[in-house]
Amino acid sequence: MALYNDKVMDHFLNPHNVGEIEEPSGKGIYGSPVCGDMMMVTIDVDDNDVITDAKFKTYGCGSAIASSSMATDMIIGMTVEEALTVSNKKIVEELGGLPAIKIHCSVLAEHAIKNAIWNYAEKNGKHYAGLEGYNPTEDSEEDDHHDIPEEE
Amino acid sequence: MREVYLDYSATTPAKEEVVREMIPYYTKLYGNPSSLYGPGLEAKEGLTKARQQLADLIGADPKEIIFTSCGTEADNWVLEGIADQLKKKGNHIITTSIEHHAILHTCMYLQKYHGMEVTYLDVDEEGFVSPEALEAAITDKTILISIMMVNNEIGTVEPIKELAAVAKKHGILFHTDAVQALGNLPIDVKDLGVDLLSMSAHKIYGPKGIGALYKRKGVNMPSFVHGGAQENRKRAGTENTAGIVGFGKAAELARVNLDDHIAHSRELRQYLWDQIRDKIDHVRLNGPADFDKRHPANLNVSFSYIEGESILLLLDAAGVSVSTGSACSSGSLDISHVLSSIKVPMEVINGTVRFTVGDFTSKEDIDYAVEALVKVVDTLRRVSPVTGKEGW
């Protein structure tokens, strides 16, 4: 009997890709400790627009850390456009599911990755369909953390 | 792997002596205490003895003890019962912002469905309620004051005697939720001057599923559970005989061992805190700094830059059981209302852990737990992007 499934626990207990890339191609931060979770992602992108490395640091609960580990695993080797399609839903699927009350934790990784790509695109004057209409600053105080059903 | 349980405020294991006394009431002494033949009367004797044992622990008369299904039922009953009993006199209840949800949610229910008005008193930064603030909140409509004896999260021991004196001065009934206090500090209901007091067995090494209410002789309120003449017509339902007998035995053991229990708890709690402070940077104690004014076994600590649920899970993986005030702890996403009431900043609340030692905790257990904790905090801080330089 455990709160999380084995895959989630494995990613939480032995997270992959922990750290920070020095002089990364892009860096994104999402959330804050005040909200209960925060993630920083750094990525390296090669000339073919492929993400060759990704590292994260996360403040948060077990599912936030597990989602961060899984999400960075997922985007390494993807093109930037592909990485922009990695939704929180896909992260949860890859993890084999999260408790309903914890689904919002996976949103953290989706947003932080988007922010890192945004930063890369800004620095390099690149445009991606997946970033159309996306504003990294606007989302940061969004109500992701409060969209769970009421108890009772 | 060693297992170290440091969550005695959540629940305690039932002691062997307690369970030994209970078993015959499931197998041989199974009679219904309401029956008038031999087996029924034998079962009834068990209730009588247990009532005396519990009364002795709190300085009450056995007639003033009514068994309930749990502490929460006792709390619900007092609030709803007094609201009904005294509705002609008034509709105002005074309580505090740091009560257990058994009180807070019942108050909200009474506000929503029964037109009651409730004042939730603020507490200071260590969780203390002031008798002056209580007196200032009293109106001519106030019918009940309910203030917990010991806070379950931060261990604050409230000045119940002074608070009850304020209630008495104004002729208002005074209730205290003593679930965390029972067996952890001396309780004498006459000396304290309380009218109603809630208790639970599973916090004092007794079984789960049994609680009790002390109701001072002369205090009247309607039944909460209807349907029989049990508990002197005050609480219907076939008695949980074995549970009551177990509660009685646990109360007797708590009374006999009280001094030793308090000394043991304080010593280990102090040792735990000294070790944590010594070996881990950026920690903060929540609740009374004067350990004489807190639950003898309670320690509530915030670890900067990391989050409580992940601390809990990693400690669990090492065999150590604790609880957390973090928003992300399982089951709810609400941060601790107690820690926000004492104005602990949000990001600090999210990194809070409650440790409670108990009779089965040893110094070696603490050493093991601290060793695990040092590793857990270090691991999570290395994963965390927060370093304290960001202003959080």
Side-chain angles (χ1 to χ4, degrees):
Chain A
M1 185 54 216
L3 180 58
Y4 299 123
N5 70 41
D6 289 348
K7 202 162 182 184
V8 175
M9 277 311 282
D10 189 44
H11 275 273
F12 169 58
L13 294 173
N14 306 294
H16 310 171
N17 317 311
V18 174
E20 184 175 1
I21 299 170
E22 280 181 46
E23 296 175 36
S25 310
K27 176 175 175 172
I29 291 175
Y30 187 77
S32 85
V34 181
C35 310
D37 48 21
M38 172 179 171
M39 181 179 181
M40 177 185 76
V41 184
T42 46
I43 52 170
D44 264 343
V45 183
D46 72 9
D47 296 341
N48 301 318
D49 247 18
V50 172
I51 296 173
T52 54
D53 197 11
K55 293 214 178 295
F56 81 91
K57 283 196 165 190
T58 290
Y59 166 102
C61 64
S63 48
I65 291 172
S67 301
S68 304
S69 168
M70 177 56 85
T72 45
D73 263 1
M74 287 165 76
I75 62 166
I76 294 171
M78 282 185 173
T79 64
V80 170
E81 277 292 7
E82 282 167 349
L84 284 168
T85 68
V86 172
S87 63
N88 81 298
K89 221 175 149 183
K90 283 188 188 164
I91 299 167
V92 175
E93 270 170 27
E94 285 292 319
L95 284 170
L98 283 173
I101 200 162
K102 295 287 193 176
I103 297 289
H104 73 280
C105 299
S106 58
V107 175
L108 181 77
E110 179 192 327
H111 280 278
I113 288 168
K114 260 192 177 159
N115 286 354
I117 295 174
W118 170 274
N119 174 249
Y120 165 74
E122 286 279 286
K123 283 200 288 192
N124 296 282
K126 300 217 172 194
H127 296 277
Y128 298 104
L131 283 178
E132 294 272 320
Y134 182 72
N135 181 344
T137 49
E138 180 184 86
D139 272 337
S140 138
E141 289 299 317
E142 197 187 285
D143 242 8
D144 290 331
H145 303 268
H146 310 286
D147 57 358
I148 50 140
E150 287 247 344
E151 273 188 282
E152 290 174 307
Chain B
M1 185 174 64
R2 197 180 183 113
E3 286 190 7
V4 178
Y5 182 74
L6 294 178
D7 203 14
Y8 281 82
S9 274
T11 194
T12 59
K15 286 190 172 164
E16 296 279 349
E17 303 97 298
V18 168
V19 177
R20 261 204 306 275
E21 297 253 337
M22 292 172 67
I23 289 169
Y25 287 87
Y26 287 116
T27 52
K28 296 191 183 73
L29 304 170
Y30 55 81
N32 187 323
S34 296
S35 302
L36 298 177
Y37 41 73
L41 298 175
E42 276 175 347
K44 190 151 192 156
E45 267 177 43
L47 303 187
T48 305
K49 184 179 170 195
R51 205 181 304 281
Q52 184 69 53
Q53 287 166 315
L54 185 53
D56 287 345
L57 179 59
I58 62 167
D61 186 287
K63 290 196 190 80
E64 297 172 312
I65 302 290
I66 307 156
F67 290 105
T68 61
S69 65
C70 57
T72 295
E73 184 192 321
D75 283 345
N76 273 252
W77 181 17
V78 167
L79 293 170
E80 296 189 34
I82 297 299
D84 276 346
Q85 182 75 22
L86 298 181
K87 64 182 170 215
K88 284 188 184 138
K89 189 181 169 227
N91 67 339
H92 181 227
I93 292 173
I94 301 173
T95 186
T96 79
S97 59
I98 61 164
E99 296 297 311
H100 189 274
H101 286 128
I103 295 290
L104 293 179
H105 288 176
T106 309
C107 283
M108 288 169 199
Y109 162 82
L110 289 169
Q111 285 176 288
K112 190 169 175 185
Y113 294 103
H114 293 270
M116 296 297 292
E117 285 173 17
V118 181
T119 299
Y120 301 91
L121 295 173
D122 285 334
V123 294
D124 70 14
E125 292 191 356
E126 292 190 326
F128 291 105
V129 179
S130 100
E132 293 74 31
L134 170 62
E135 185 148 33
I138 292 172
T139 73
D140 56 0
K141 295 281 179 210
T142 308
I143 53 169
L144 178 68
I145 295 164
S146 177
I147 298 174
M148 69 198 328
M149 193 171 289
V150 172
N151 182 267
N152 49 311
E153 288 187 41
I154 54 175
T156 311
V157 179
E158 299 296 347
I160 293 299
K161 193 173 175 176
E162 288 75 15
L163 296 163
V166 172
K168 195 166 190 180
K169 181 176 152 194
H170 292 268
I172 299 164
L173 290 174
F174 189 92
H175 166 250
T176 186
D177 175 343
V179 167
Q180 292 292 338
L182 193 72
N184 285 304
L185 46 105
I187 298 175
D188 181 330
V189 287
K190 307 298 172 195
D191 178 57
L192 288 170
V194 300
D195 299 299
L196 298 140
L197 179 146
S198 305
M199 298 169 275
S200 176
H202 75 98
K203 309 283 194 191
I204 63 161
Y205 307 93
K208 291 168 183 65
I210 189 73
L213 177 68
Y214 158 79
K215 185 163 76 68
R216 183 177 58 74
K217 199 167 173 254
V219 175
N220 294 311
M221 60 181 185
S223 285
F224 191 58
V225 178
H226 310 280
Q230 291 88 354
E231 294 299 283
N232 202 16
R233 298 182 184 278
K234 294 185 186 87
R235 201 277 185 186
T238 299
E239 297 89 341
N240 173 1
T241 320
I244 290 170
V245 166
F247 196 177
K249 185 65 186 176
E252 184 195 303
L253 292 174
R255 183 173 57 80
V256 173
N257 300 330
L258 188 63
D259 292 346
D260 287 347
H261 166 77
I262 292 173
H264 175 77
S265 302
R266 282 195 169 154
E267 189 188 331
L268 287 182
R269 185 258 312 268
Q270 186 67 51
Y271 182 61
L272 173 60
W273 177 226
D274 290 345
Q275 293 288 305
I276 290 174
R277 250 190 323 188
D278 193 38
K279 297 189 168 149
I280 304 174
D281 290 335
H282 308 293
V283 296
R284 163 189 167 136
L285 176 75
N286 301 306
D290 178 353
F291 278 11
D292 289 343
K293 290 183 177 168
R294 67 193 290 160
H295 182 294
N298 167 288
L299 190 65
N300 188 301
V301 182
S302 298
F303 298 89
S304 299
Y305 324 135
I306 54 178
E307 192 276 334
E309 192 223 51
S310 48
I311 301 173
L312 183 153
L313 289 175
L314 283 184
L315 283 177
D316 182 41
V320 180
S321 306
V322 298
S323 70
T324 170
S326 160
C328 248
S329 56
S330 69
S332 95
L333 291 181
D334 301 325
I335 56 154
S336 155
H337 65 285
V338 176
L339 295 169
S340 53
S341 288
I342 61 167
K343 301 186 176 58
V344 179
M346 284 281 279
E347 68 277 15
V348 179
I349 293 177
N350 281 324
T352 296
V353 174
R354 180 189 69 182
F355 305 87
T356 16
V357 300
D359 286 358
F360 298 111
T361 314
S362 66
K363 193 160 170 284
E364 290 70 34
D365 287 333
I366 303 290
D367 286 333
Y368 178 85
V370 169
E371 195 184 320
L373 184 65
V374 168
K375 280 188 203 147
V376 164
V377 171
D378 181 57
T379 301
L380 290 172
R381 281 185 178 161
R382 274 191 279 120
V383 177
S384 175
V386 187
T387 62
K389 290 175 194 139
E390 299 86 348
W392 290 303

